[in-house]
Amino acid sequence: MDNPAQTSAKHVPKGLKRLLAALVLLFAVIAAWGIAVRLHARAALEKRAQETGVTLVAVTRVRAGTGGDNLVLPGTVQAYADAPVYARTTGYLKRWYVDIGARVREGQLLAEIDTPEVDQELRQAQADLATAEANERLAHTTNERWRSLLATQAVSRQDADEKAGDFAAKHALTASARANLLRLRDLRDFQRVVAPFDGTITARSTDIGHLITSNAPLFSIADARRLRIYVQVPQPFARSMQPGLMGEMQFADKPGRWPATVVRTADALDPATRTLQTELQVDNAQGELLPGSYADVHFSLPGVSGTPRIPSSAFIFRGSGLFVATVGADNRARLRPIQPGRDFGTEIEVVSGVSPGDEIIVNPPDSLVDNQPVRIAGGQTPVSATARR
């Protein structure tokens, strides 16, 4: 006799069996797909976490310097001769004859000063000299007479010596009065204020009726036919500054460049700034350049070809010195101690520590340590790794 369950199974339609099998297979596929998606997402998340934990860096190659170096320094332009003109006497300004911008010659009259006190002292000195000369003549006559009497032994030698001493004293008083008169005449001559050299009046700080004293300048005069340019050269370039070295000046308000020549240096560094004061000169006979201007002075300095240079942003400052970081084939940072040379602003010369072509990290983080894993921005391959392949 047949089992009822077997009897029921025999009566299930074949189409229903196929449907049930398809559903079971579908559920299995969905479950497998869900598991695979979750595993992929977990793997991606772990990879993202690992990449996030590795420092992202940018790299560049060490450049070899060329044979010549272009150095640009700020310069101050000054007149070859520049002086304030003072009065050597006291009084009131009577009149002035030149104003700013006037070209004057050496000895030309600039102003006149009224000095009534000096005039009165001069007249008094003339009277004092006349009195001294009269006393001297009388003492001379008396001395000659007593010398004659001494020859006949009519007077004692003591009395004759006293008359001779009186004459000598009167002679000295006359010399003193004459010197005082000459001094006052010189002061009277200082009523005329004259130009000390050929040049241009750059300032007038007085006017008619002003009280003139010896501690305030009346005019300023400058000889700008030739100009001096002073630059402060940093210590690494000081040895290159030799007389005869050519430079070029560039001005913000004028196109083109003007050649200038180094004529002298201070031969000593300023201990505060570690710079060497250097003087250049340029001909300005046409008056194209103005004293007091600011100029960029360009120098072409001789250099050693092939010297490594790195960006200023690649330095790592540590208590033990300066370092740069290179990237090895294993994508790990290696800190190298370096010895810097001359500073070119955006680049710095390196005496030792790296070679041209080495790959270094620019803008390294302060927390970067030796042998730290890094990841190069843009997915680049380290130069050392490429070379090994």
Side-chain angles (χ1 to χ4, degrees):
M1 189 174 182
D2 295 336
N3 191 345
Q6 294 177 352
T7 305
S8 300
K10 291 179 180 180
H11 292 83
V12 175
K14 292 182 179 181
L16 182 58
K17 289 181 180 180
R18 293 173 181 168
L19 179 61
L20 292 175
L23 290 175
V24 171
L25 180 60
L26 179 61
F27 289 148
V29 171
I30 293 175
W33 179 79
I35 294 172
V37 169
R38 293 190 63 182
L39 291 175
H40 179 73
R42 179 179 295 179
L45 183 60
E46 292 177 354
K47 182 179 179 181
R48 180 71 177 273
Q50 292 178 355
E51 292 178 352
T52 304
V54 177
T55 303
L56 183 67
V57 296
V59 296
T60 188
R61 293 188 181 184
V62 178
R63 188 176 71 87
T66 57
D69 300 323
N70 186 28
L71 178 65
V72 183
L73 296 173
T76 301
V77 181
Q78 297 182 10
Y80 187 82
D82 190 352
V85 179
Y86 289 84
R88 289 291 307 275
T89 187
T90 302
Y92 294 92
L93 189 70
K94 186 176 181 180
R95 61 178 60 89
W96 52 266
Y97 299 98
V98 294
D99 210 339
I100 59 173
R103 298 185 181 275
V104 297
R105 307 291 295 178
E106 181 180 354
Q108 180 177 337
L109 182 62
L110 306 180
E112 288 183 317
I113 302 173
D114 189 12
T115 58
E117 294 180 356
V118 174
D119 294 341
Q120 185 63 32
E121 291 177 1
L122 181 61
R123 288 189 289 269
Q124 182 180 353
Q126 290 173 339
D128 292 342
L129 178 59
T131 302
E133 289 176 342
N135 292 333
E136 181 186 5
R137 286 193 296 270
L138 178 60
H140 178 265
T141 302
T142 303
N143 180 48
E144 292 297 325
R145 288 174 181 174
W146 281 73
R147 287 177 61 186
S148 299
L149 293 174
L150 179 62
T152 61
Q153 297 183 352
V155 294
S156 66
R157 179 172 295 278
Q158 176 65 32
D159 292 337
D161 290 343
E162 288 179 356
K163 299 305 180 182
D166 181 64
F167 168 68
K170 294 300 193 313
H171 179 73
L173 289 175
T174 301
S176 175
R178 185 176 292 108
N180 185 49
L181 177 62
L182 293 176
R183 179 184 67 84
L184 291 172
R185 284 177 177 173
D186 289 340
L187 283 178
R188 183 189 60 181
D189 292 340
F190 287 140
Q191 293 174 343
R192 294 169 49 86
V193 180
V194 298
F197 50 81
D198 296 352
T200 303
I201 301 298
T202 59
R204 176 180 62 83
S205 54
T206 188
D207 209 339
I208 296 176
H210 281 194
L211 176 63
I212 305 302
T213 59
S214 59
N215 58 357
L218 307 182
F219 302 92
S220 291
I221 182 173
D223 183 3
R225 293 172 298 179
R226 190 167 186 83
L227 299 178
R228 305 175 191 263
I229 302 91
Y230 290 97
V231 295
Q232 302 296 331
V233 181
Q235 180 176 350
F237 305 96
R239 294 291 182 184
S240 301
M241 293 296 138
Q242 299 296 331
L245 179 67
M246 295 299 297
E248 291 184 332
M249 297 188 303
Q250 189 173 15
F251 297 86
D253 57 333
K254 289 181 176 293
R257 294 186 178 185
W258 278 260
T261 307
V262 175
V263 294
R264 63 182 59 89
T265 67
D267 281 337
L269 296 180
D270 185 344
T273 60
R274 308 299 183 205
T275 56
L276 176 71
Q277 186 176 31
T278 302
E279 178 187 337
L280 300 89
Q281 291 185 10
V282 61
D283 181 66
N284 191 40
Q286 303 300 323
E288 297 178 299
L289 307 178
L290 299 178
S293 301
Y294 169 87
D296 288 326
V297 185
H298 297 252
F299 294 99
S300 294
L301 304 180
V304 179
S305 179
T307 305
R309 294 186 183 181
I310 64 175
S312 304
S313 58
F315 281 105
I316 301 175
F317 297 90
R318 295 287 190 268
S320 56
L322 293 177
F323 295 81
V324 294
T326 62
V327 180
D330 54 355
N331 284 332
R332 290 182 177 272
R334 300 288 190 273
L335 298 187
R336 291 189 188 179
I338 59 100
Q339 181 180 352
R342 295 173 296 177
D343 189 346
F344 297 94
T346 58
E347 289 185 328
I348 296 180
E349 186 179 68
V350 178
V351 178
S352 64
V354 293
S355 301
D358 288 348
E359 197 167 57
I360 60 174
I361 299 175
V362 292
N363 296 315
D366 294 336
S367 58
L368 188 67
V369 297
D370 190 37
N371 205 35
Q372 177 179 332
V374 294
R375 183 165 56 91
I376 300 178
Q380 302 176 12
T381 302
V383 176
S384 56
T386 305
R388 289 182 180 181
R389 291 175 186 173

